[in-house]
């Protein structure tokens, strides 16, 4: 099973600033990585797949990067609706598909 | 646009079987997608449980495989989850989701709203 590790656990950011979240895989997953956003009381929402491809409806201020074992999600010019928990998911090796433990982006 | 809705008992007794159904609207379960279940214990992260294709092919999380069964009912455009021998550790919000193929793997591109299942006597 591929272990996904996200850092930091919590990121405090002021609106209008940028935030960079990290995700590390325990072995190479090429670009088979997705990012999800989850707001309180809601289901996760797919933001990024293929490490860097924005899903339908994902704003352009979200950008993904990386390959192999190291990945990032950058949110530029944070807006109020961006404060949420973000999860990465690998889909290179299964079963199971595995998620990181999440990074909470909170208002500073 | 496809929509998914979970349904089932919100309370299950310890050692009982947790049973949930996901109803798909706005799309067909027979389309070229897999259909999966994910759970989230209160205040914790996401755990993939398993998936099914309309042909009946399934894949399960090895950590749950001995207790999990996922089935499909094409006539009702539904798929279901059964988790046997439930314990308090199975208390979670359970989501059903559509899984889209990408580079040989699958991402979860549409989700139900989720349903909280509590395992307690």
């Amino acid at each position: 099973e591929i272990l996904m590790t996200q850092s930091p656990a919590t990121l405090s950011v002021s609106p209008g600033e940028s935030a960079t979240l990290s995700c590390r895989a325990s072995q190479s997953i090429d670009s088979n990585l997705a990012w999800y956003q989850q707001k309180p009381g809601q289901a996760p929402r797919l933001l990024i797949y293929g490490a860097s491809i924005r899903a339908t409806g994902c704003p352009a201020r979200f950008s993904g990067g990386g390959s192999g074992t190291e990945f990032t999600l950058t949110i530029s010019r944070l807006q109020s609706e961006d404060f949420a928990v973000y999860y990465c998911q690998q889909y290179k090796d299964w079963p199971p598909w595995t998620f990181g433990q999440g990074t909470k982006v909170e208002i500073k | 646009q496809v929509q998914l809705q979970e349904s089932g008992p919100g309370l299950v007794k310890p050692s009982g079987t947790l049973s949930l159904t996901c109803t798909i609207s706005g799309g067909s379960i027979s389309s070229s997608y897999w259909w999966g279940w994910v759970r989230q214990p209160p205040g914790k992260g996401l755990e993939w449980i398993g998936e099914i294709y309309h042909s009946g092919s399934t894949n399960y999380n090895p950590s749950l495989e001995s207790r999990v069964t996922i089935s499909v009912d094409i006539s009702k455009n539904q798929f279901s989850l059964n988790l046997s021998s439930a314990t308090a550790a199975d208390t979670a919000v359970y989501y059903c989701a559509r899984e889209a193929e990408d580079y040989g793997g699958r991402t979860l591109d549409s989700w139900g709203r989720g349903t909280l299942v509590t395992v307690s006597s």
Side-chain angles (χ1 to χ4, degrees):
Chain A
E1 176 176 324
I2 297 178
L3 180 65
M4 305 301 292
T5 303
Q6 292 185 241
S7 62
T10 303
L11 193 57
S12 298
V13 186
S14 299
E17 293 185 341
S18 295
T20 299
L21 290 63
S22 295
C23 176
R24 174 178 292 177
S26 60
Q27 63 190 71
S28 177
I29 58 170
D30 298 327
S31 295
N32 289 29
L33 184 99
W35 288 95
Y36 299 84
Q37 176 193 65
Q38 186 177 34
K39 298 179 181 179
Q42 296 185 18
R45 165 197 175 195
L46 177 66
L47 290 178
I48 300 280
Y49 64 95
S52 62
I53 303 169
R54 282 189 295 276
T56 302
C58 177
R61 62 182 181 274
F62 289 88
S63 61
S67 66
T69 61
E70 301 284 343
F71 301 88
T72 58
L73 175 69
T74 299
I75 313 170
S76 303
R77 302 178 304 280
L78 270 151
Q79 299 186 8
S80 57
E81 61 263 34
D82 301 333
F83 292 96
V85 179
Y86 293 83
Y87 294 95
C88 60
Q89 175 228 338
Q90 69 81 20
Y91 54 96
K92 173 66 175 179
D93 187 44
W94 60 273
W97 310 123
T98 49
F99 295 89
Q101 78 277 23
T103 290
K104 180 180 181 181
V105 178
E106 65 176 22
I107 299 175
K108 185 175 183 180
Chain B
Q1 181 173 344
V2 70
Q3 293 188 324
L4 299 91
Q5 178 67 59
E6 306 86 353
S7 59
L11 182 64
V12 174
K13 293 188 183 303
S15 78
T17 296
L18 185 158
S19 296
L20 295 173
T21 295
C22 182
T23 301
I24 301 162
S25 58
S28 172
I29 199 169
S30 297
S31 55
S32 301
Y33 293 97
W34 287 72
W35 304 92
W37 290 96
V38 175
R39 70 180 182 178
Q40 184 173 37
K44 296 189 178 181
L46 302 167
E47 180 180 33
W48 181 81
I49 299 169
E51 61 186 5
I52 190 165
Y53 198 65
H54 59 78
S55 63
S57 295
T58 55
N59 296 296
Y60 300 129
N61 190 322
S63 69
L64 298 169
E65 188 165 15
S66 63
R67 301 193 291 131
V68 171
T69 302
I70 298 176
S71 58
V72 63
D73 187 333
I74 294 175
S75 66
K76 295 182 179 179
N77 222 31
Q78 295 175 336
F79 62 105
S80 298
L81 168 70
N82 278 354
L83 181 65
S84 63
S85 304
T87 70
D90 296 314
T91 294
V93 174
Y94 286 76
Y95 296 99
C96 60
R98 187 179 75 174
E99 299 185 0
E101 293 268 1
D102 183 55
Y103 289 100
R106 289 185 274 282
T107 59
L108 298 97
D109 69 348
S110 292
W111 297 65
R113 290 188 173 186
T115 187
L116 174 63
V117 179
T118 301
V119 180
S120 175
S121 56

